[in-house]
Amino acid sequence: MGGAVNLLAQRHPINSALSLIAVMAALAGEYLLLGAEFVAAVQVIVYAGAVMVLFVFVIMLLNAGEEEETKGSRVALLLGVPGVLIGSVLVAWVVLRSSGTETVPIGALPGPPTEIAQLLFHDFLLPFEVTSVLILIAIMGAVVLATKPDAAERKAN
Amino acid sequence: MVPLSYYLLLSGFLFACGVLGFLIKRNIITIFMSIELMLNGVNLSFVAFAAHWHVLAGQIFVFFVMVVAAAEAAVGLAIIIAVYRTRETLNVDQVNLLKL
């Protein structure tokens, strides 16, 4: 929670990125508590490892500095904070009202990788293949978008 | 033994933080990180429900969300780099035209 608030409070993007890494590490701990060891490991490797390295890399590459206060940001602050507060209070009220005292035992569902693999490659085979195609398209799109335009033109000529 | 509602509240809090950051931040990279925060909040509720109902399928959905988030991060960061090359700014208020 502290990390999430810090992400909003920090003005420099690199500090936000570091607090987001803290949030992801804390979430991996939550997954461990819930008995989902494999998800926790993937969370650390994929999110805290790969995705955040990508973010930090781009922040450094673009030399991102402090963000400045603008008119749009003040309007968003004035409208956004009350709206989000009202929404989250409503959701919290509904959750607390509808849920009884049922508890989630710690480590209740040992999600061993064998069972997960069975589910992933048997019952969810089609979505799995579709996501592989999605990843391929995303990689190609990223390469096309990130190449320098003049380099592409030189190649065409 | 932690009540399920605590997990849901934490998940909702993370999602609300993501929405708030999406709204109030002006730096395009920070806006992107807010989106990641929202996805993480949803993932937490997926895992909590999977543990609550003893259904492993919830964890599979978490993997799919992670895959989509990774793809989205790759494409989005490429778009950010392209925008920065043409406009020399990361402030979303100054990126208000699709044409150059």
Side-chain angles (χ1 to χ4, degrees):
Chain A
M1 265 175 99
V5 173
N6 202 24
L7 190 143
L8 302 182
Q10 294 289 347
R11 307 197 61 75
H12 203 282
I14 199 87
N15 297 343
S16 298
L18 287 179
S19 45
L20 186 56
I21 292 175
V23 172
M24 286 173 178
L27 272 177
E30 290 278 349
Y31 296 155
L32 273 183
L33 280 183
L34 282 165
E37 292 104 352
F38 193 60
V39 175
V42 170
Q43 166 93 4
V44 169
I45 292 169
V46 172
Y47 259 129
V51 172
M52 291 320 290
V53 164
L54 212 60
F55 268 105
V56 173
F57 183 74
V58 168
I59 290 170
M60 304 233 173
L61 182 72
L62 300 186
N63 201 10
E66 307 263 323
E67 65 177 323
E68 61 264 34
E69 195 88 2
T70 57
K71 194 156 154 277
S73 78
R74 275 194 295 279
V75 171
L77 201 65
L78 279 179
L79 289 178
V81 172
V84 169
L85 273 182
I86 291 170
S88 51
V89 165
L90 264 178
V91 169
W93 182 68
V94 169
V95 165
L96 283 182
R97 232 180 68 113
S98 60
S99 75
T101 53
E102 68 250 48
T103 56
V104 179
I106 286 174
L109 184 71
T114 47
E115 279 183 30
I116 288 181
Q118 187 72 21
L119 262 179
L120 191 58
F121 297 119
H122 257 261
D123 303 353
F124 289 91
L125 187 60
L126 181 66
F128 179 76
E129 297 294 341
V130 171
T131 47
S132 64
V133 174
L134 171 76
I135 285 270
L136 186 65
I137 294 172
I139 291 171
M140 290 195 299
V143 169
V144 167
L145 280 171
T147 41
K148 280 206 174 83
D150 52 325
E153 273 168 32
R154 229 182 297 129
K155 207 177 259 178
N157 295 331
Chain B
M1 302 290 267
V2 184
L4 177 66
S5 54
Y6 287 9
Y7 285 109
L8 293 184
L9 283 183
L10 179 59
S11 151
F13 175 78
L14 286 179
F15 192 88
C17 276
V19 173
L20 200 57
F22 188 85
L23 288 176
I24 69 175
K25 285 295 182 183
R26 293 295 110 187
N27 189 313
I28 194 164
I29 298 177
T30 323
I31 287 175
F32 234 75
M33 287 194 277
S34 307
I35 297 175
E36 298 288 328
L37 195 61
M38 281 193 260
L39 289 166
N40 268 292
V42 175
N43 275 354
L44 178 63
S45 67
F46 264 133
V47 175
F49 275 120
H52 184 244
W53 299 113
H54 295 274
V55 179
L56 260 180
Q59 299 190 12
I60 306 292
F61 284 122
V62 172
F63 290 125
F64 287 131
V65 170
M66 277 182 186
V67 167
V68 171
E72 169 244 325
V75 174
L77 289 173
I79 290 174
I80 289 173
I81 290 175
V83 164
Y84 187 76
R85 276 219 190 94
T86 53
R87 278 163 223 270
E88 306 279 313
T89 181
L90 286 174
N91 194 324
V92 286
D93 287 341
Q94 291 163 22
V95 185
N96 48 12
L97 285 177
L98 271 178
K99 65 171 190 175
L100 286 175

